[in-house]
Amino acid sequence: MIHLYIARHGQTEENVQRILQGQMPGHLTQEGVLQAETLRDKLRDVYFHEIYTSDLLRAEVTTRIISEPHGGRYVLEPLLRERDFGIHTGGPYIKIARALDPSAETMEDLAQRAADFLTKMVCNHETSAAQDVHILAVSHGLFLRVLQAVYHQCPVREIEKMENAEVRTLTLCQDMHFDISPLEETGGTAN
């Protein structure tokens, strides 16, 4: 069985300023660093077979801190990036329900990335019934909500927003398949 720990990056300066980061790098605040250190301490005794992180700076810096007790090893994974908000990136928070410019990544494409990541975890970490595998993935607010919606096969609005440096656990099995259905353009803002 695969235990997938999903964690959101620590607070960023852009979060505080209510800037829609999308695929911007983002810069952790002092609070964000403390949040990452607290999460590191919480996860210190979990043996992670693999640690994956979005390749966006705010997630990678969070992962560097979290991975210290695990030898500082992690894999950059572009599938874990936040939604690309196109021309809206760098502007003020917007409601996801609002019509976005066509330059923004669609929710369907975001859901497909989430399904691809979950499938990759199942395929790359096949286990026997006798061995559990623990994986950590550090990513972003909206992406992680969509990933959970794909996992639970429910609308994104039914997934509660993750706080900065919050961790949740999903259990994956070898026979799981992740179908995406058109997800509603609802559920708040991303960062």
Side-chain angles (χ1 to χ4, degrees):
M1 193 170 303
I2 300 168
H3 304 280
L4 177 62
Y5 293 70
I6 56 171
R8 184 176 171 210
H9 62 78
Q11 180 191 69
T12 65
E13 294 171 11
E14 293 81 3
N15 291 146
V16 173
Q17 297 169 14
R18 301 193 52 79
I19 292 172
L20 188 63
Q21 294 174 88
Q23 295 190 1
M24 292 172 57
H27 304 86
L28 293 188
T29 61
Q30 279 296 91
E31 176 66 20
V33 170
L34 290 173
Q35 290 169 340
E37 290 171 346
T38 299
L39 184 55
R40 173 198 64 205
D41 296 343
K42 179 179 178 179
L43 298 175
R44 178 179 299 279
D45 295 330
V46 178
Y47 175 78
F48 290 111
H49 293 82
E50 199 74 64
I51 299 173
Y52 295 90
T53 184
S54 161
D55 58 352
L56 299 177
L57 182 65
R58 60 195 183 271
E60 187 180 357
V61 171
T62 300
T63 305
R64 270 190 232 142
I65 294 167
I66 295 170
S67 68
E68 287 171 1
H70 308 284
R73 59 177 174 72
Y74 57 87
V75 176
L76 294 177
E77 178 54 72
L79 288 172
L80 292 171
R81 285 182 178 177
E82 182 59 283
R83 184 180 188 183
D84 181 354
F85 283 95
I87 66 169
H88 303 286
T89 301
Y93 278 7
I94 57 174
K95 290 287 184 182
I96 300 304
R98 182 176 135 192
L100 295 177
D101 183 84
S103 63
E105 182 177 20
T106 67
M107 286 296 279
E108 289 77 15
D109 287 344
L110 190 62
Q112 187 60 60
R113 275 202 289 123
D116 290 347
F117 178 75
L118 291 170
T119 300
K120 182 175 182 175
M121 293 303 96
V122 170
C123 292
N124 287 1
H125 301 285
E126 292 185 34
T127 61
S128 68
Q131 182 185 9
D132 285 350
V133 174
H134 298 269
I135 306 296
L136 174 63
V138 180
S139 187
H140 309 273
L142 180 59
F143 180 82
L144 290 173
R145 287 183 72 197
V146 170
L147 183 136
Q148 292 172 85
V150 169
Y151 175 84
H152 292 293
Q153 294 291 284
C154 69
V156 176
R157 72 175 181 276
E158 293 181 14
I159 304 297
E160 188 175 331
K161 178 183 175 185
M162 291 180 74
E163 299 300 322
N164 289 110
E166 180 182 344
V167 65
R168 296 179 185 170
T169 307
L170 305 175
T171 302
L172 307 175
C173 302
Q174 291 177 356
D175 60 351
M176 292 181 91
H177 299 282
F178 305 99
D179 298 320
I180 66 162
S181 54
L183 298 177
E184 300 171 33
E185 295 272 344
T186 60
T189 57
N191 47 19

